[in-house]
Amino acid sequence: MDSDENKKASVFAAEGTTRSHKELIEDSWRRCKEYGLTHNSVPQYGVLGRGGVSALLEEHQLLVNTTQKEVLPYYDHILSNSNCLIVLADRRGHVLNTWGEQRFTPLECAHGLVVGNRWTEMGAGTNAIGTAIATGAAVQVGRDEHFLRANRFMVGSAAPIFNTQKEMVGVLDISSDAYLPQDHTLGMVKLMTLSVENRLIHNAFQREHLLITFNTNIAALESPWSGLVVIDVEGRIISANRRAEVMLAHDLALANIEDIFNCKLRELRHHPEGMPMEVSALGKYRMHLMIKRPPQAAIIAPDYRKKEKPAPVIVEEELPDDVIPFHELEHGDERVARMAKQANRIMEKDIPILIHGETGSGKEIFVRSLHYHSSRKAFPLVAVNCAAIPAELVESELFGYEKGAFTGASNKGSIGLIRKAHRGTLFLDEIGEMPLKVQARLLRVLQERCVTPLGSTETFPVDIKLISATNRVLKEEVKRGAFREDLYYRISGLNLELPPLRERADKAKLIEYVHGRLTRSAGETYHPLSLDVLNMLVDHPWPGNVRQLISILSVALAMADGDPIEDWHIPDDFYDDLNGLGLAEHNGDGLSEGMDYVDHHNDGPILRNPKEELEAKIVRLYREYGGNVSQTAKAAGVSRNTVYKYIR
């Protein structure tokens, strides 16, 4: 389509939102008459030769691949359950590909919906593809609404596809010779075109820019109906899907994201990926949004040293953003290094792995790294938290079920999580929480290497690497009768113990590593942790382990806002744990509860009482330190924010 045609289509698209279906069809018939067509005219498709078809497909390779590989698999039920033909055409009406032709039986040789044929109003009269191109809007054309009698054997629903510059690049059509619910079919083709447009935006921008998805309904955030915007490093919107502008009723071109949502760019950049965030849009709409950051490219410093022979280049395969390189799992702790070496060796053997460790100690992080450094990395890693699934649903979630197997079951059934992990890795976290009934079925699956879904007599072979994890002492659970002894010995081929953060010999280096990784993920300039802050982090008891460390450092980075982290950037609950540890240590030294103890500072010893009210203690220290907030916070073991709170 030329630029003039694109402008005309845009005008028609704007009008299409107000004109009725009857008016759209009447206007199309009027245009057909102006083209000199009659109802008995023979369709003219402008058939391309073999060379022309090859050039056509090469020109639109991206559109065809995006539709076929990234969108249609999610709508396979249309092809499998309906006598319909899905057609992709370019902006001029040339058919690029079709799916489902084996179900489109009448007039197989005469329907004209074949690759290379051109469907325009000028050549084929009123038809879904040609009329969608002419109007720039989604349209449904019934049997008798086709201008040419030759096309009145079918019903067509089509919608235009727009690229990242809002230019029409093609049309997606669903045509059928059988009855299909009109509203449903038109709604489905609109949904499919939105999916294609969203994928075109993702493919064009996701490697270098921040993508933001938003919706009024948090449950629909990942649906094609959500708004999608792309922003550059300065927060300018450089692309948006059509839904974004419809939902906000606002021109988003080059608008600043801070003018659209009531949050700062830094907040968006620091927000955890995949976690919904509630915001206000334009001061009048409540929205939920999620962000997707671009992958971090590895920076390799050039080596300018002269060599007689060039050293062989070892290229490390790119890992997903949430996977830690295997050699970075430990930073000097011999226990972790030993367990990593053992697990890596056993990962390629038919031996299960059982990991013991406290909650939050990094068991899933360890497993993800193991999987993506194994021969199974091309297949799924399915992580199941046995404690998070309701007991009555664990069986159906793990083993799958046939449609109608129980009340409330999906009418499509479910293959289950074990079969989803076929040829990959199944990670059963908190396996000690698994109900005994389910333990018996799991044991049978591990013995027979087959799964039988609920409500079915058919068995399906599975090839999985099983890794389990627990924070319980399973041998004690076996003695109590809460865990099957035979299952315990089936899953505990290699037993590993992941130490808690407080016991790790590489705690300081690990803290620095996590800080650096979070800094890069947030797109911030890296500032090393000061010695005071690092010592404070090392001295912390970390009851929540690595998970708590990540949370504390994420908050501190957000508070620092690009500056080096200081003590007042760290949340108050961090100091609660630290103070609790200090008191416990002092009381353990033989001081009775309530006694004064001596704390040495630069200005001399200060007597403090553990039961002294926090507010009184802060006010007293503030005076003793001559109004120095930093020294007061350090002496009281709290953040500077807490000091400000009590001295106002």
Side-chain angles (χ1 to χ4, degrees):
M1 182 182 291
D2 297 329
S3 59
D4 290 341
E5 289 179 292
N6 254 322
K7 292 176 183 176
K8 184 169 67 175
S10 300
V11 172
F12 273 126
E15 293 176 352
T17 59
T18 58
R19 289 188 298 166
S20 67
H21 172 74
K22 181 180 178 182
E23 290 173 327
L24 286 173
I25 299 300
E26 287 176 348
D27 288 347
S28 176
W29 278 40
R30 175 183 50 76
R31 289 192 295 273
C32 292
K33 292 175 182 177
E34 292 174 355
Y35 295 144
L37 297 176
T38 69
H39 297 309
N40 294 321
S41 296
V42 177
Q44 301 296 319
Y45 301 123
V47 180
L48 294 175
R50 183 173 299 177
V53 171
S54 298
L56 179 73
L57 296 179
E58 184 176 352
E59 178 186 356
H60 298 289
Q61 184 179 10
L62 175 62
L63 179 61
V64 174
N65 287 344
T66 300
T67 304
Q68 179 169 330
K69 298 179 180 179
E70 299 184 47
V71 174
L72 286 186
Y74 294 98
Y75 299 91
D76 187 59
H77 57 286
I78 300 175
L79 290 174
S80 59
N81 297 324
S82 303
N83 294 320
C84 66
L85 186 71
I86 297 180
V87 183
L88 177 66
D90 71 1
R91 63 187 181 276
R92 302 180 188 90
H94 289 112
V95 175
L96 300 174
N97 208 343
T98 63
W99 298 270
E101 57 268 27
Q102 67 273 19
R103 303 177 185 86
F104 197 74
T105 52
L107 303 174
E108 286 181 340
C109 299
H111 61 61
L113 293 168
V114 295
V115 175
N117 281 9
R118 188 179 183 189
W119 282 75
T120 63
E121 287 186 339
M122 183 178 293
T126 302
N127 67 88
I129 295 174
T131 303
I133 291 173
T135 61
V139 64
Q140 185 164 63
V141 179
R143 293 175 186 267
D144 293 332
E145 290 175 333
H146 286 86
F147 188 81
L148 302 188
R149 288 192 175 94
N151 293 330
R152 291 180 183 173
F153 66 91
M154 65 179 176
V155 177
S157 301
I161 301 170
F162 293 87
N163 64 12
T164 56
Q165 284 80 43
K166 299 293 193 298
E167 298 171 340
M168 188 190 300
V169 291
V171 172
L172 201 60
D173 166 79
I174 299 178
S175 289
S176 176
D177 55 82
Y179 172 79
L180 288 176
Q182 293 189 10
D183 291 343
H184 172 80
T185 307
L186 186 59
M188 185 60 66
V189 80
K190 288 180 180 178
L191 192 65
M192 293 168 70
T193 56
L194 288 174
S195 299
V196 174
E197 292 174 5
N198 289 347
R199 292 312 307 166
L200 290 174
I201 291 174
H202 273 268
N203 294 337
F205 295 104
Q206 67 178 350
R207 295 192 65 82
E208 297 179 1
H209 296 87
L210 190 72
L211 276 62
I212 302 174
T213 305
F214 60 94
N215 202 308
T216 55
N217 183 356
I218 191 171
L221 262 175
E222 297 183 3
S223 79
W225 295 108
S226 292
L228 173 65
V229 296
V230 183
I231 61 174
D232 62 14
V233 292
E234 296 178 7
R236 287 191 302 260
I237 297 176
I238 57 175
S239 186
N241 66 358
R242 288 185 288 159
R243 285 293 298 167
E245 295 194 337
V246 170
M247 293 172 69
L248 297 173
H250 191 80
D251 183 11
L252 299 177
L254 296 180
N256 193 290
I257 197 67
E258 295 183 357
D259 297 330
I260 304 300
F261 299 125
N262 68 327
C263 56
K264 297 294 184 184
L265 176 60
R266 289 195 182 278
E267 292 180 54
L268 292 172
R269 290 169 60 186
H270 291 154
H271 192 72
E273 186 168 309
M275 180 182 294
M277 174 183 183
E278 186 173 328
V279 296
S280 172
L282 300 173
K284 52 185 176 180
Y285 307 114
R286 190 187 71 165
M287 295 285 178
H288 300 275
L289 62 79
M290 283 197 305
I291 65 159
K292 184 172 181 59
R293 296 187 185 89
Q296 297 292 322
I299 300 175
I300 303 175
D303 187 352
Y304 295 105
R305 293 173 297 178
K306 292 183 179 180
K307 299 181 177 71
E308 294 182 3
K309 293 183 179 180
V313 178
I314 301 174
V315 180
E316 185 173 313
E317 292 189 33
E318 187 175 336
L319 295 172
D321 292 342
D322 57 351
V323 175
I324 304 291
F326 200 71
H327 63 278
E328 295 177 8
L329 287 172
E330 61 84 24
H331 302 268
D333 187 297
E334 291 184 3
R335 288 183 299 171
V336 179
R338 183 172 182 270
M339 70 172 287
K341 186 176 181 179
Q342 289 178 328
N344 193 40
R345 184 72 58 87
I346 293 297
M347 192 66 186
E348 302 301 329
K349 312 292 184 183
D350 188 19
I351 298 174
I353 298 173
L354 177 61
I355 303 174
H356 301 266
E358 294 181 4
T359 299
S361 57
K363 297 187 290 291
E364 184 169 352
I365 294 173
F366 184 84
V367 171
R368 289 188 67 80
S369 186
L370 259 183
H371 171 78
Y372 281 99
H373 288 84
S374 76
S375 60
R376 294 177 178 265
K377 61 189 172 187
F379 300 97
L381 165 64
V382 178
V384 184
N385 189 320
C386 300
I389 305 176
E392 62 273 13
L393 296 180
V394 172
E395 200 169 5
S396 60
E397 288 292 313
L398 281 176
F399 307 108
Y401 55 86
E402 286 288 293
K403 59 182 180 180
F406 53 89
T407 302
S410 167
N411 57 12
K412 296 180 183 177
S414 171
I415 68 169
L417 296 172
I418 293 178
R419 284 175 61 197
K420 283 184 179 179
H422 181 55
R423 301 181 70 185
T425 302
L426 178 66
F427 175 46
L428 298 179
D429 198 7
E430 308 294 358
I431 194 171
E433 308 294 332
M434 183 177 287
L436 282 169
K437 178 184 176 184
V438 182
Q439 291 179 29
R441 287 204 63 177
L442 176 62
L443 177 64
R444 190 159 58 250
V445 168
L446 298 179
Q447 289 172 336
E448 300 174 1
R449 301 299 177 95
C450 290
V451 175
T452 303
L454 297 180
S456 174
T457 57
E458 187 176 2
T459 59
F460 299 88
V462 288
D463 169 22
I464 57 172
K465 176 67 181 183
L466 179 67
I467 304 179
S468 308
T470 181
N471 58 4
R472 296 189 177 197
V473 181
L474 288 187
K475 285 187 177 180
E476 296 298 323
E477 298 298 302
V478 169
K479 291 179 182 178
R480 291 197 310 108
F483 199 85
R484 292 180 63 105
E485 185 175 21
D486 46 7
L487 178 60
Y488 171 73
Y489 288 111
R490 173 67 66 173
I491 66 173
S492 63
L494 173 66
N495 275 269
L496 301 172
E497 182 76 33
L498 187 60
L501 177 57
R502 64 182 174 275
E503 294 179 7
R504 289 189 58 156
D506 59 349
K507 182 161 56 170
K509 290 183 179 179
L510 179 60
I511 290 171
E512 290 180 310
Y513 170 78
V514 172
H515 170 243
R517 190 174 177 90
L518 290 173
T519 303
R520 290 192 301 273
S521 177
E524 295 285 3
T525 302
Y526 176 71
H527 298 286
L529 294 170
S530 69
L531 188 59
D532 286 345
V533 170
L534 180 60
N535 287 337
M536 189 165 53
L537 293 171
V538 170
D539 290 341
H540 196 274
W542 298 113
N545 286 298
V546 176
R547 184 180 296 137
Q548 183 187 9
L549 171 65
I550 293 172
S551 175
I552 291 291
L553 286 177
S554 296
V555 173
L557 281 169
M559 290 285 290
D561 202 20
D563 296 329
I565 292 178
E566 299 180 27
D567 56 355
W568 66 275
H569 295 143
I570 299 175
D572 289 348
D573 55 355
F574 171 88
Y575 294 100
D576 293 340
D577 292 335
L578 203 58
N579 292 339
L581 177 67
L583 290 179
E585 288 173 346
H586 282 294
N587 286 333
D589 286 339
L591 295 173
S592 62
E593 188 177 356
M595 277 185 66
D596 289 338
Y597 63 89
V598 177
D599 196 6
H600 293 276
H601 297 283
N602 296 335
D603 295 309
I606 298 176
L607 289 176
R608 299 198 308 181
N609 187 308
K611 284 193 169 182
E612 184 180 7
E613 290 291 335
L614 180 62
E615 181 176 1
K617 179 170 66 174
I618 288 175
V619 171
R620 175 175 60 79
L621 291 171
Y622 181 71
R623 289 174 183 152
E624 291 174 358
Y625 281 111
N628 188 306
V629 174
S630 295
Q631 289 184 349
T632 302
K634 190 171 183 179
V638 298
S639 69
R640 288 171 55 177
N641 281 349
T642 303
V643 174
Y644 285 124
K645 175 181 173 183
Y646 288 117
I647 64 174
R648 286 172 182 166

